[in-house]
Structure formats: structure tokens, C-alpha cells
Amino acid sequence: MTDTINIRSDSYKKPKLRKIGVFTSGGDAPGMNAAIRAVTRTALANKLKVIGIRRGYQGMIEGDFMPLRSSDVSGIIQLGGTILKTARSKEFRTPEGRQKAWLQLQNAGIDAVVVIGGDGSFTGALTMSQEYNVSFIGIPGTIDNDMYGTDYTIGYETALNSVVCAVDKIRDTAVSHGRIFIVEVMGREAGLLALNSGIACGAEVILIPESKEQHEALKRFLEKGYKSRERSGIIIVAEGDEPGGALKISEEVRRDHPELDVRVSILGHIQRGGSPTANDRINATRMGVAAIDALLDDQKSIMIGLDNGKIVQVPLNKAVKLNHSFNGELLQIQKLLNI
Ligand code: F6P
């Protein structure tokens, strides 16, 4: 674990580290550009050459590389998405695909790679680093905030604010018409975005994969709470909730309560885009600097994380294999406030 960041002088530099690659992988997340900028400029400040790998692992397999100068990352800190583009590569999941990727790195003289992405991206990095001698440093970038070992992933805060803005608007219609809105929030395997946006919007019910008992809360709300209160309501459901997302839930609600005026809103990719919040930019920048610092310290196969605001290093095998922690306290608060 480390909580200090140093820009190394030439005398500290390991001679073998001369050229690094940086790429984004999996779902884009606001703040990825801030991380690319920080990685590039910290590496350049330490006299390392920087290669941007476009389109994630697929671009690595195809040798879609571009040298990055300081000017190439100018004016990008405020942009959503990723200037390097991203992909979910099926080919990289095969041993043949990873061999091609390794040969491309060899040909380009890339000694180490910074990967900005989520769980799947880090699993790929770990597998390749076990098969070939490539140093990978991970920076967690996903709106899901579902990585073990870090309180924060790049893009989560921006996405959370996007969800809150959208649901506040939906609330206007829900109240005006006396309707129940079932709003689906992203999170295939994780409910943190749904849980926190639900708290921030005062949702009447929040359905997330981490807690099955919330379905009882939904029943109670529809049977008693809805009638006793203002006759409208917001039900936030995480995309990965069991037994299904918003459409499935709406079918059940309509079947059991045909008297209710029910609407569904699936927020979709509107949650992933947009200009990153100040915190997303600041944390992405800190993580980008810390990633190069770790490489200069000869680290490999680690993820940079944030623990109570401090930069930490987490072994990649833990980051991908262990489950992210879930704070049940927020669910209790939600129940308490929905009397
Ligand atoms: O970035 C993570 C995530 O947003 C998940 O919450 C969601 O299930 C998935 O990406 C959607 O990915 P895609 O854009 O590839 O459909």
C-alpha cells in the first residue's frame, strides 16, 4: 500500500522502462480522458515515451497505436467518453488473440501498460500478465463503482448526478399525473448507482441485486404506502436486479394492481456520457499520476484505488476476484425514511 506520489527524477528510473502504453477498455466513463491526460503527462515528465492504444484490447491486437505528446491530451479533461475509444473484445478472450496483442506490444517496444477500465478489462490484463511478461497497472474506470479494493471508480459520480437530474424531472410528471414510475438504472451486477440515486431522489422503493428483501418493500408500498400518501411514486430498479429489470417489474405491478397508472423509464446510456464532475476529474488525475508512479517503482499487476480519499495499490488478482463491499446502511436509511 502507498499513499504518497512522487514524480521521479531520472536517477530513480529503471533503465528498462522506456515506453508505456495506455488504453481504455469496456464501457466508457466520464473522467477517462482526465486519466489519459494525467498518465501521458506524468510519463512524459519522467522521460518515458507514451503510446495510446486505440479501441481497447481489440486495438492492441490490431496494433492500432498512436504516439501521445503533451499537446495530444490538451483540452480533453472536460470531455466525456474517451479520446482513445473503447471496445469489448471477444478475440482477446482467446489465447490466440492475446498472443497477437503481445506481439504487437513487442513490435512497438512497449514495456508496460496502463489499462483504464472495469472488472472485465482487469481480468484480461491479469490473464495476459500471467502468460507473458507484461506489466499492467489498472485504473478503475466504470460508472458501476463495483470494484473490490477501491471506494471510487472513475465516472461513477458523474453518472450518479446524471441519474439524479433525470429522475427529478420524471418526478414532476409522476406527481402531476399521480403515476408510479419504474426507472431502470445501469448496473448489470451492482446496485450502487441505483441505491445512491434512489436515496438522492427520495425514491419510494429501490430494487438492487444485493438485496432480495426489497421486493417485499415494493409490495408493501403498492398495497399501503401508495394509497396513504400522495398517490405517485418512484421505484428505482438496477438493471441487474432479480428477477428482472424495469419492464419485468412493471408487468408484475400492472398484473397485481391494474388500478395503478404505471410508466417505465429506462435511462440507458444517457447515464454514461457527459462532462465529468470536478471530483471525477480530480480523482482520475490523481489515479493517473499514481499509475505512472507505481510503474516507476517497478510495480506490476496492481490496481490503483482510493481508500478513504487516499491512493492505494491493490493486487489485480484481488481486485477482480473479490466482491466489492456493499453498504447495507443506506438501505436501512431508505426504509426508515419511507414511512
Ligand atoms: O459500464 C458498465 C455498464 O454501464 C453496465 O452498468 C451496463 O450493464 C453495461 O455497461 C452496458 O454496456 P454496453 O454499453 O456495452 O451495452
Side-chain angles (χ1 to χ4, degrees), residues 26-28 88 142-144 186-188 239 269 272:
D28 62 303
R88 300 190 195 274
T142 159
I143 65 161
D144 294 342
M186 271 188 173
R188 227 179 342 223
E239 143 189 50
H269 289 80
R272 280 232 302 254

